[in-house]
Amino acid sequence: MGWILRGTAQQHEDSVLQRYAPDLMKDPVHMFMNRFYYVPLILSGIGLFALGGWSFLFVGVFLRVTIGLHFTWLVIQQHICGNAPVSH
């Protein structure tokens, strides 16, 4: 879980990105989001806090990210340990 807290999962060399996602490297919007993935989260957190205080911030940022990560890991575990094949 340290890779989430330190942010190293988002830091890949361009050669790795070019190998696995060459089409996404051509899109400036995707490259911007890849480099500055934390900016929308911070801006939405500030906006939600200004709109509704701590409860909006909790549900709109912390709970949403936590549930999203748990469902992502659930699907990955099903492909690794279960009998749900990865479709290509």
Side-chain angles (χ1 to χ4, degrees):
M1 191 163 134
W3 59 272
I4 295 173
L5 300 175
R6 289 181 290 152
T8 57
Q10 296 293 333
Q11 299 169 357
H12 298 289
E13 295 180 11
D14 284 347
S15 61
V16 174
L17 294 174
Q18 187 63 39
R19 178 176 178 193
Y20 292 107
D23 53 338
L24 295 179
M25 285 200 66
K26 294 175 188 170
D27 184 11
V29 174
H30 278 91
M31 290 309 296
F32 176 82
M33 291 302 294
N34 186 48
R35 286 192 176 87
F36 301 106
Y37 61 93
Y38 52 88
V39 172
L41 189 60
I42 291 172
L43 291 178
S44 64
I46 292 170
L48 287 168
F49 184 75
L51 260 168
W54 288 108
S55 60
F56 273 42
L57 180 69
F58 177 75
V59 172
V61 176
F62 302 124
L63 193 61
R64 179 185 58 83
V65 170
T66 302
I67 289 173
L69 288 173
H70 276 79
F71 274 103
T72 301
W73 293 330
L74 175 72
V75 171
I76 291 171
Q77 280 303 110
Q78 287 299 313
H79 289 300
I80 292 174
C81 300
N83 31 345
V86 177
S87 61
H88 295 284

